[in-house]
């Protein structure tokens, strides 16, 4: 199974997927890594691993993902013969035509127990709300914001002395375990 990974940041989830492939626990190949941020460390990690990379040129928009750019992304993923698109810290909202080209084949990892705390900085939202438990979710991407069908979740306790950073760090440990496992599940359904 050929994976296309989209990310905007450090790429630790991409690394976890890569590590699972390397240790034989995930039967897949990362065909391409695309980022909307030319300075994102995810691109550096991919280059180091010899994985083809590409830039998603959002025409200077900070958060918008213009439809024509989404069509370009779809074309790049198709050219790389991608079977499954994995959003890994990708901070733009995916819509058609990207979704229409990969129906049921785009998944995302989110740092909360969805449906709780969709959107940005979910771990900060959890801390501010004073919940005793948060976690992470891998889900199919649909037209909403972090609303698609859930594939897997993992719980993480919120500790009394947690800061936003310490909570996010512990959630990420679970993310790195969860994402490869979720990809295995999705692969078995394709
Ligand atoms: C992860 O915690 C992921 O769940 C989150 O961004 C981080 C990316 O880390 N995604 C979202 O908040 C999406 N709404 P990484 O670049 O090290 O994988």
């Amino acid at each position: 199974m050929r994976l296309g990974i989209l990310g905007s940041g450090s790429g630790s989830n991409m690394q976890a997927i890569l590590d699972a492939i390397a240790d034989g626990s995930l039967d897949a190949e990362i065909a391409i890594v695309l980022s909307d941020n030319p300075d994102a460390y995810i691109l550096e990690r991919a280059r180091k691993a010899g994985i083809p990379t590409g830039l998603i040129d959002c025409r200077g928009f900070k958060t918008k993902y213009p439809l024509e750019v989404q069509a370009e992304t779809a074309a790049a993923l198709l050219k790389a013969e991608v079977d499954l698109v994995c959003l890994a810290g990708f901070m733009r909202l995916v819509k058609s035509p990207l979704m229409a080209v990969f129906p049921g084949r785009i998944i995302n990892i989110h740092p909360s127990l969805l449906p709780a705390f969709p959107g940005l900085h979910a771990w900060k939202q959890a801390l501010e709300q004073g919940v005793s438990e948060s976690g992470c979710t891998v889900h199919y991407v649909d037209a909403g914001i972090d609303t698609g069908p859930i594939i897997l979740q993992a719980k993480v306790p919120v500790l009394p002395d947690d800061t936003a950073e310490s909570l996010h760090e512990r959630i990420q440990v679970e993310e790195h375990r969860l994402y490869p496992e979720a990809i295995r599940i999705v692969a078995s359904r394709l």
Side-chain angles (χ1 to χ4, degrees):
M1 189 177 52
R2 291 174 65 80
L3 308 176
I5 300 198
L6 271 55
S8 308
S10 122
S12 69
N13 278 288
M14 189 278 288
Q15 188 68 54
I17 294 165
L18 202 55
D19 293 347
I21 293 169
D23 74 18
S25 60
L26 177 63
D27 185 14
E29 182 186 342
I30 301 181
I32 192 163
V33 172
L34 299 173
S35 180
D36 57 333
N37 173 7
D39 301 321
Y41 190 53
I42 192 171
L43 290 175
E44 184 62 28
R45 287 185 199 263
R47 281 186 216 110
K48 276 187 191 153
I51 298 166
T53 61
L55 198 61
I56 298 171
D57 176 5
C58 287
R59 318 288 199 262
F61 289 106
K62 277 217 157 67
T63 55
K64 205 170 133 185
Y65 192 7
L67 294 187
E68 81 262 24
V69 181
Q70 302 210 21
E72 290 171 8
T73 306
L77 292 166
L78 283 175
K79 196 172 167 209
E81 297 180 18
V82 162
D83 302 304
L84 180 69
V85 181
C86 302
L87 308 184
F90 187 63
M91 296 305 177
R92 294 180 195 252
L93 205 55
V94 169
K95 293 183 187 154
S96 208
L98 188 42
M99 282 217 306
V101 174
F102 291 95
R105 286 172 180 254
I106 307 181
I107 62 175
N108 179 45
I109 187 148
H110 184 78
S112 76
L113 293 174
L114 290 172
F117 312 129
L120 293 178
H121 307 301
W123 60 93
K124 282 189 195 159
Q125 297 183 50
L127 212 55
E128 282 161 14
Q129 292 297 312
V131 294
S132 61
E133 192 172 65
S134 190
C136 49
T137 304
V138 180
H139 65 96
Y140 289 101
V141 172
D142 68 5
I145 298 178
D146 303 321
T147 51
I150 289 169
I151 301 157
L152 268 186
Q153 291 187 306
K155 291 177 180 172
V156 172
V158 180
L159 304 179
D161 58 350
D162 257 335
T163 61
E165 291 70 31
S166 67
L167 178 58
H168 189 210
E169 225 168 83
R170 274 204 327 286
I171 290 174
Q172 286 226 286
V173 172
E174 286 303 304
E175 288 188 336
H176 299 159
R177 186 183 60 76
L178 203 69
Y179 215 169
E181 201 180 327
I183 293 170
R184 272 192 298 276
I185 292 173
V186 172
S188 73
R189 294 173 181 164
L190 287 178

